[in-house]
Amino acid sequence: MGCKALRRARKHLGRRGVVLLILGVGKISWGASFLVDPPEPVGLQLLTQACGLRHWAWLWIACGAVTAGSAFARIGRDRVGFIAALVPPTVWAVAYLAAVVTGSYSRGLWVAIWYLTSHVGVIMWAASVPEYSVPKPRGQRDEAA
């Protein structure tokens, strides 16, 4: 019975919804880690000048909640989830790039590239994939013909 419920949920969410749910839960978890055990703010001086990392954690959590919640939106109405998913890693990438420019964190260039590729790039790619464009699996195509 559990597998049937999972299949039904997977069908309801669709491919884009599953991605949004995974991204949302990940962002919420990352934000929560800043609340539970905040790391040293190395390279994040641009952010910590405005407020502490505990406050910035709420950006991750709020955007993660919007992203996860958008997973349940109808196809075509999930755009806000992808936009929310882009905000925290983009903010972090800008902060790390600023740290490189000011000379306060030379490793920030590589961290910024990591955020821009493995986060921003993947989110933008996932947002561009239409839900309905993938051909049916081989067995289902043969049955339809």
Side-chain angles (χ1 to χ4, degrees), residues 2 4 10 26 28-31 63 69 71 89 117 127:
K4 188 176 182 178
R10 171 89 163 86
I28 292 169
S29 298
W30 187 246
C63 288
T117 56

Side-chain angles (χ1 to χ4, degrees), residues 12-103:
H12 174 74
L13 290 174
R15 295 176 337 140
R16 291 168 59 99
V18 169
V19 168
L20 284 169
L21 187 60
I22 291 168
L23 289 170
V25 169
K27 288 178 187 330
I28 292 169
S29 298
W30 187 246
S33 77
F34 281 88
L35 293 176
V36 173
D37 189 17
E40 291 297 317
V42 178
L44 296 173
Q45 292 83 356
L46 181 68
L47 302 179
T48 56
Q49 289 173 356
C51 57
L53 282 182
R54 288 183 182 263
H55 294 95
W56 285 105
W58 288 105
L59 175 71
W60 285 91
I61 294 169
C63 288
V66 170
T67 301
S70 294
F72 300 96
R74 289 180 23 167
I75 296 170
R77 300 197 175 188
D78 56 4
R79 176 180 295 233
V80 69
F82 286 106
I83 292 169
L86 285 170
V87 172
T90 302
V91 169
W92 252 243
V94 168
Y96 281 116
L97 287 173
V100 172
V101 169
T102 63

Side-chain angles (χ1 to χ4, degrees), residues 88-139:
T90 302
V91 169
W92 252 243
V94 168
Y96 281 116
L97 287 173
V100 172
V101 169
T102 63
S104 63
Y105 190 53
S106 60
R107 187 172 175 257
L109 175 63
W110 311 112
V111 180
I113 291 171
W114 178 72
Y115 271 111
L116 291 172
T117 56
S118 67
H119 288 65
V120 173
V122 169
I123 293 163
M124 290 176 69
W125 168 81
S128 71
V129 175
E131 184 68 40
Y132 48 83
S133 69
V134 178
K136 292 182 180 178
R138 187 171 208 71

Side-chain angles (χ1 to χ4, degrees), residues 1-12:
M1 177 170 273
C3 290
K4 188 176 182 178
L6 285 176
R7 278 192 300 271
R8 188 176 314 142
R10 171 89 163 86
K11 185 177 178 182
H12 174 74

